[in-house]
Amino acid sequence: MAVSPLHKSLFVVICIGVSFFMLTLIAVHQPQQTGYLGGGNSMEELLAGRSISVKIDDAVVANISDRVLESIRTDTTLCSAIRETNLPMIYLITPTYKRPEQIPDLTRLAQTLMHVPSITWLIIEDAESLSPVVTEILKRSGIRYVHLIAPMPAEQKKKKVKARGVSNRNKGLDWVRENYVDTRGVVYFADDDNTYDLRLFDEIRTVEKVGMWPVGLITHFGVSSPVVRDGRVTGFYDGWVANRKYAVDMAGFAVSVDTILQFPDLKMPFVPGYEEDGFLKGLSLKLEDIEPKADNCTKIYVWHTQTKKNKNPIKANQTVYEFTNVWSLYEQIEM
Ligand code: UGA
Ligand code: MN
């Protein structure tokens, strides 16, 4: 019978696990007596509880963990998350700001990113100070994160149509330039309200210069995507071209750290609707430089979902509710 590498590895892991468990069990039951594993006791004696010598030597533990790790490492069918250390780093730049939907949106995004190995999540608030509620989400996620503020400039705030998330993204770009640890790394602008399929991150990670892919739920076309012919990007399909050279959404591209470093002064412009186009033009690309990802742009792995706007809630009456659970709920709501 053919035995797959996965079965082989699982068998080794299970055997080691069961032995380890049994030996630990015996050790727990015989705490006052110590000795070293491998001192001539048969498994029967150990199982019968007659043996007394079960303090496991550090060298033995190291040996067991090495063997487990080795079997995981050499098995290509196992989850890539386990081999995390070998993967290029993805620098995810997420602009965010205070509103009733902020906490649910960030909860959802954090709990998506918890499944993604080798990421640094730059969460950058358009605010004057860091929100403790946001910090709490970041801490609990266990994700490697950087939490910064980058308030929208006053002259932008006054405008009727604002360039959203731009000061945040520029702050993130500067951070990456100063603090990157991996030149194979890739930068991606991940807005806080989109829906991300985990397969997107595998695509992002393979970007060498600039990668692009389709984004669902954009304009009345329902999708925005590079147009790919014979494996090459030849133009863009988007419901709002508006004289843009790169008619793409913010979620539809990623750029390598290497490329970002080649343009040390490049910033995203404060021009509503033209943020992506302005930024990409600054990279002096040729169409043939663009790597069509997601199976030659035939798969949608990210959606411009947009959370429904809610009215700012009315805070509960303090005199009635201050010493009840109701009051504490408002500490968990950003408004
Ligand atoms: C679309 C694009 O998907 C955005 O990437 C682009 O920045 C935006 O249009 C634009 O052209 O202004 P849209 O869904 O309409 O995005 O915008 P939002 O989701 O409201 O904002 C984009 C990002 O900026 C979000 O992560 C949001 O949290 C953040 N943002 C928004 C701020 O930091 N400050 C704000 O005042 C508003
Ligand atoms: Mn959005």
Side-chain angles (χ1 to χ4, degrees):
M1 191 186 73
V3 182
S4 76
L6 175 63
H7 285 115
K8 260 193 264 163
S9 299
L10 281 178
F11 180 69
V12 172
V13 169
I14 289 166
C15 286
I16 293 168
V18 168
S19 324
F20 198 83
F21 172 70
M22 287 193 309
L23 295 171
T24 311
L25 207 66
I26 294 161
V28 167
H29 285 290
Q30 307 283 343
Q32 70 280 35
Q33 295 153 314
T34 59
Y36 288 98
L37 182 68
N41 301 297
S42 73
M43 191 51 93
E44 286 75 25
E45 282 173 326
L46 287 171
L47 287 176
R50 268 183 267 131
S51 169
I52 46 165
S53 52
V54 196
K55 175 168 176 269
I56 300 175
D57 189 283
D58 283 351
V60 175
V61 174
N63 192 309
I64 292 172
S65 25
D66 278 356
R67 276 155 60 192
V68 172
L69 285 176
E70 190 50 32
S71 66
I72 290 169
R73 220 177 274 134
T74 51
D75 191 333
T76 49
T77 57
L78 287 175
C79 172
S80 61
I82 299 170
R83 298 188 303 272
E84 165 166 1
T85 46
N86 244 345
L87 296 172
M89 178 73 73
I90 302 177
Y91 295 94
L92 293 157
I93 301 180
T94 298
T96 189
Y97 72 112
K98 206 172 188 163
R99 61 195 190 281
E101 304 79 33
Q102 183 181 34
I103 296 313
D105 276 349
L106 287 178
T107 299
R108 185 170 48 194
L109 179 52
Q111 293 186 11
T112 293
L113 298 181
M114 281 163 72
H115 298 280
V116 187
S118 197
I119 59 170
T120 299
W121 190 16
L122 286 89
I123 183 116
I124 310 187
E125 295 192 53
D126 174 359
E128 298 299 329
S129 59
L130 297 178
S131 152
V133 188
V134 173
T135 308
E136 176 66 18
I137 292 178
L138 292 169
K139 277 196 184 148
R140 273 198 315 118
S141 75
I143 300 166
R144 178 188 145 92
Y145 71 86
V146 178
H147 190 185
L148 304 170
I149 54 164
M152 188 184 284
E155 73 273 9
Q156 281 298 320
K157 259 194 196 148
K158 277 188 235 140
K159 293 191 178 161
K160 210 169 162 204
V161 186
K162 303 171 182 64
R164 285 160 289 179
V166 172
S167 51
N168 327 38
R169 295 190 194 101
N170 284 332
K171 179 99 178 189
L173 285 169
D174 284 343
W175 187 94
V176 171
R177 287 181 180 114
E178 284 163 27
N179 301 285
Y180 72 94
V181 288
D182 187 357
T183 42
R184 300 172 310 155
V186 184
V187 175
Y188 179 64
F189 300 116
D191 285 357
D192 61 0
D193 57 340
N194 293 334
T195 304
Y196 302 92
D197 186 311
L198 294 179
R199 289 171 292 183
L200 176 71
F201 302 99
D202 292 336
E203 302 296 318
I204 294 175
R205 223 183 284 283
T206 63
V207 167
E208 284 176 8
K209 190 171 182 172
V210 177
M212 293 195 183
W213 45 77
V215 181
L217 293 178
I218 297 279
T219 74
H220 58 296
F221 282 15
V223 67
S224 161
S225 176
V227 178
V228 180
R229 268 183 237 279
D230 301 325
R232 300 201 128 184
V233 175
T234 57
F236 300 95
Y237 179 83
D238 191 289
W240 187 73
V241 175
N243 220 14
R244 289 185 295 168
K245 182 171 180 193
Y246 300 103
V248 297
D249 184 68
M250 199 66 75
F253 65 92
V255 181
S256 71
V257 167
D258 220 27
T259 307
I260 300 285
L261 295 177
Q262 283 168 35
F263 298 89
D265 301 319
L266 179 63
K267 291 199 181 316
M268 188 167 283
F270 283 93
V271 186
Y274 294 83
E275 300 95 329
E276 299 89 344
D277 192 43
F279 176 75
L280 289 165
K281 276 179 177 163
L283 295 172
S284 315
L285 294 173
K286 296 189 204 83
L287 266 193
E288 54 264 36
D289 292 333
I290 299 171
E291 302 147 53
K293 297 288 183 186
D295 217 348
N296 270 328
C297 297
T298 59
K299 305 271 163 56
I300 301 176
Y301 292 155
V302 55
W303 305 81
H304 187 244
T305 337
Q306 294 194 297
T307 311
K308 174 187 158 289
K309 290 253 173 293
N310 293 268
K311 284 192 180 137
N312 262 346
I314 300 159
K315 207 166 182 176
N317 183 322
Q318 189 167 1
T319 26
V320 181
Y321 293 106
E322 188 174 5
F323 300 107
T324 73
N325 64 312
V326 172
W327 194 248
S328 70
L329 295 176
Y330 283 89
E331 287 160 17
Q332 299 157 51
I333 294 174
E334 292 290 71
M335 23 183 217

